[in-house]
Structures are given as structure tokens and as C-alpha cells.
Amino acid sequence: MKKICSLSLIAALVFISCNSAPEADEAKTEEQKEVAVTEGEVYKVDSTQVAQFIGTKPVGQHQGTFNVTGGEFFVKNEAILTGGKLTFDINSLQITDKDTSGAHKLKGHLLSPDFFDATNHPAATFEITSVEEYVPDSTNKIVLDGATNTIKGNLTLKGVTKNVAFPAAINITPAAVTARANFNINRTDWGLVYGNDQSLGDKFIRPEVNVSFNITASK
């Protein structure tokens, strides 16, 4: 009987571990910080770009995008990123799952007060508070390929602002700035707690959400 119970427990743990958040850098989350003093020339972000996200549960995952409605980066001496800001349109949410059968229903639920509450909070913002040279951290097993900097910034989502830090690959030329990142955040830090209870079984929605972007800004 004990053997059967042990096997059942192992099976349950394997089930819960399936479809976990993609392996990526874990963003460090702290309280809101003072925004960086910006210096240098302005590089504008156009509105044709998107940020991607992946949410997971024991029986699958969902992927989607948000449009970047605007933003800017500041560059000093054509070589040093000093600050910047990005704005995202929550109502632009698109579900990009391979199986599109439930996309419309899922989009409606994510935009509802259970999650993003888009009616009352139609925009999200990320504003840089510091840019540091990237130094490998032995506590983080996954490192973004080509990471050059650690970016820290205030992420405001659903009316809550938290400071997040993550590795990024920054490339600066006289004509453009590109910023690439891939990291996981805990959605409950911003009050998105729906489904965050493992007793829900296959209806449990993991708190970790993968966020990635590859954004270009031009003069």
C-alpha cells in the first residue's frame, strides 16, 4: 500500500511539474525605485513591436503578445544606455497559441478583472531606473545568451509598480538601439493572483510568467 501511495505521489509531482515556465533568468523584484536621470540622444521606439509572454498550468500553456505603443531610449556618447521607457497597450493582447479554438474566450478572461482588468488599467509601463554592466550571478543557472547589461526598472501593471532586474543584451549603433531579454516574473507581485492555488489541480495556473522582447529604437 505504501508503495502504491509513493508511486501516486511521484506521478502527481511529475504531473504538476509538466509545462512549467520556460527556463529563463529569474527577474529580481523589489519595491519601486527612483527613475534614472537620463542623458544623451533620444532613440524612439516605434509602435510595430511587441512583447511576448507565456503562462503555464499542469495541462498546458498559453502564449500571447502585447503591442508596444511607444517608448524611448537615451544614449550618451553613442555608446552608453542611460535610461528609457516603454508603454504597452493591454487591450492589444493577442493569443498566439497553435490551437486557436479557445483564443477568443481566453483573451476575454485575461482582459477581465480576474487578470489585467484592461478597462481600468489599459496600459502598462516599464521605466528604467538603472543600467549596469552585466556580471554573472552564480545563483542564476540560466543566463541570456549575449547578455551585456543588467537592466533595472519600474514595471507598472494593473496599477501596481514593482522594480524588476534582469539581464539584457543591448546593442548600440549611431542609428539604432536594440534591447533583447528573456526572463520570468511572478505575476502575484502585481496582484494577478487568479488560479494561484495548487489545490485546483489541472486548473492551477502557475504564478511564474515568461516575458521576452527584442525591441529596436531609432533616431
Side-chain angles (χ1 to χ4, degrees):
M1 180 68 177
K2 289 183 179 179
K3 185 175 182 180
I4 293 174
C5 289
S6 297
L7 290 173
S8 298
L9 177 59
I10 291 171
L13 290 173
V14 170
F15 177 72
I16 292 212
S17 66
C18 290
N19 294 299
S20 57
E23 290 189 339
D25 296 294
E26 295 294 332
K28 294 178 175 61
T29 304
E30 299 179 297
E31 294 305 309
Q32 180 177 358
K33 296 184 180 298
E34 186 176 350
V35 174
V37 176
T38 56
E39 297 180 76
E41 294 188 87
V42 180
Y43 290 67
K44 291 289 185 179
V45 177
D46 68 60
S47 58
T48 63
Q49 302 177 72
V50 299
Q52 301 170 314
F53 70 88
I54 300 175
T56 62
K57 53 187 179 179
V59 294
Q61 67 176 30
H62 294 295
Q63 305 177 62
T65 62
F66 289 106
N67 291 347
V68 179
T69 56
E72 55 194 13
F73 293 132
F74 292 86
V75 176
K76 182 180 179 181
N77 299 330
E78 295 189 344
I80 303 171
L81 181 67
T82 65
K85 182 177 181 178
L86 298 171
T87 302
F88 307 92
D89 177 10
I90 297 300
N91 285 294
S92 71
L93 168 66
Q94 294 295 323
I95 304 301
T96 58
D97 294 349
K98 291 182 179 179
D99 180 3
T100 60
S101 58
H104 180 73
K105 181 178 179 181
L106 175 60
K107 177 177 178 177
H109 192 197
L110 290 177
L111 293 178
S112 78
D114 282 345
F115 287 96
F116 294 106
D117 193 9
T119 298
N120 293 309
H121 305 285
T125 60
F126 178 76
E127 195 161 10
I128 294 174
T129 57
S130 70
V131 182
E132 303 168 4
E133 182 180 355
Y134 175 72
V135 177
D137 183 350
S138 60
T139 64
N140 210 345
K141 297 180 180 179
I142 307 299
V143 178
L144 177 75
D145 182 39
T148 60
N149 298 88
T150 295
I151 303 295
K152 297 181 180 180
N154 293 329
L155 175 61
T156 301
L157 190 62
K158 202 177 180 180
V160 177
T161 302
K162 296 288 184 178
N163 192 268
V164 295
F166 53 86
I170 306 296
N171 184 59
I172 300 173
T173 71
V177 176
T178 59
R180 177 172 55 86
N182 182 5
F183 55 91
N184 294 333
I185 61 173
N186 188 322
R187 63 185 172 89
T188 64
D189 290 334
W190 287 266
L192 281 74
V193 298
Y194 182 90
N196 184 43
D197 183 348
Q198 291 194 18
S199 68
L200 294 171
D202 63 1
K203 296 184 182 299
F204 166 59
I205 304 171
R206 288 189 174 82
E208 298 83 11
V209 176
N210 179 256
V211 178
S212 62
F213 57 79
N214 191 350
I215 292 175
T216 299
S218 304
K219 281 187 180 179

